[in-house]
């Protein structure tokens, strides 16, 4: 494994991050528009061709008690669609508080002059980077993989 894509799935847009298993780091990459639960496939296809990820990680929104919620179903459907389309391993990772952590990082970057207010649309991709970092730091026993698709 080397190049990994991470996703923060939303109803209107989804953030995409790219990570590296060798360095254990992740960074924001893009924000995709969503239409009826489907991402901008052409744009995602182009990103995949450019970066050639071998693993995909999708944030799974859970309640504070660790229970699934309606947004969890959207994330699972997205993960399944990725797996069907690209035939790559897809993992789910608990994304609780990832958006808040991304917002805090953004605020710190703004305060230090590294980001501007008009970069706020990148928050979804920043949240995807947080999700991917969590997956990179997790041990194999903490990684929830989707079952392999049937042919």
């Amino acid at each position: 494994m080397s190049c990994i894509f991470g996703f923060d799935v939303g109803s209107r847009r989804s953030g995409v991050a790219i990570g590296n298993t060798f360095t254990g780091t992740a960074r924001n990459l893009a924000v995709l528009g969503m239409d009826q639960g489907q991402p901008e496939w052409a744009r995602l296809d182009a990103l995949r061709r450019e970066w050639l990820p071998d693993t995909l990680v999708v944030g799974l929104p859970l309640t504070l008690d660790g229970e699934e919620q309606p947004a969890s179903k959207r994330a699972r459907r997205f993960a399944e669609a990725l797996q069907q389309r690209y035939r790559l391993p897809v993992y789910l990772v608990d994304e609780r508080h990832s958006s808040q952590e991304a917002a805090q990082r953004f605020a710190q970057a703004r305060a230090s002059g590294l980001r501007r207010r008009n970069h706020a649309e990148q928050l979804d991709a920043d949240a995807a980077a947080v999700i991917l970092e969590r997956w990179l730091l997790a041990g194999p026993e903490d990684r929830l993989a989707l079952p392999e698709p049937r042919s």
Side-chain angles (χ1 to χ4, degrees), residues 62-129:
L62 301 172
T63 65
L64 293 178
D65 296 331
E67 300 295 320
E68 294 209 9
Q69 57 180 320
S72 306
K73 291 180 181 139
R74 180 176 47 240
R76 284 187 179 279
R77 283 192 304 270
F78 182 85
E80 290 166 2
L82 288 173
Q83 190 176 57
Q84 288 295 320
R85 188 175 189 98
Y86 298 126
R87 301 286 184 196
L88 293 171
V90 177
Y91 291 84
L92 297 169
V93 66
D94 181 351
E95 72 162 42
R96 281 179 280 184
H97 307 295
S98 61
S99 294
Q100 292 91 335
E101 186 174 334
Q104 288 172 343
R105 290 181 185 188
F106 180 78
Q108 290 170 346
R110 277 197 65 211
S112 66
L114 297 174
R115 289 273 185 96
R116 294 191 175 142
R117 186 182 315 224
N118 64 351
H119 293 154
E121 71 275 359
Q122 288 296 313
L123 271 175
D124 294 305
D126 291 344

Side-chain angles (χ1 to χ4, degrees), residues 1 4 11-13 24 35 37 42 53-54 57 85 90 92 99-101 112-113 122 134-135:
M1 248 186 268
I4 305 166
S11 58
R12 292 183 311 224
R13 60 186 175 270
D35 185 22
D54 54 20
V57 176
R85 188 175 189 98
V90 177
L92 297 169
S99 294
Q100 292 91 335
E101 186 174 334
S112 66
Q122 288 296 313
R134 288 181 184 173
W135 185 86

Side-chain angles (χ1 to χ4, degrees), residues 17-45:
I18 187 167
N20 182 298
T21 56
F22 182 72
T23 62
T25 59
R27 68 172 179 83
N28 66 29
L29 182 62
V31 176
L32 303 173
M34 297 288 286
D35 185 22
Q36 297 181 347
Q38 298 296 310
E40 295 175 80
W41 286 115
R43 187 155 176 235
L44 186 51
D45 291 344

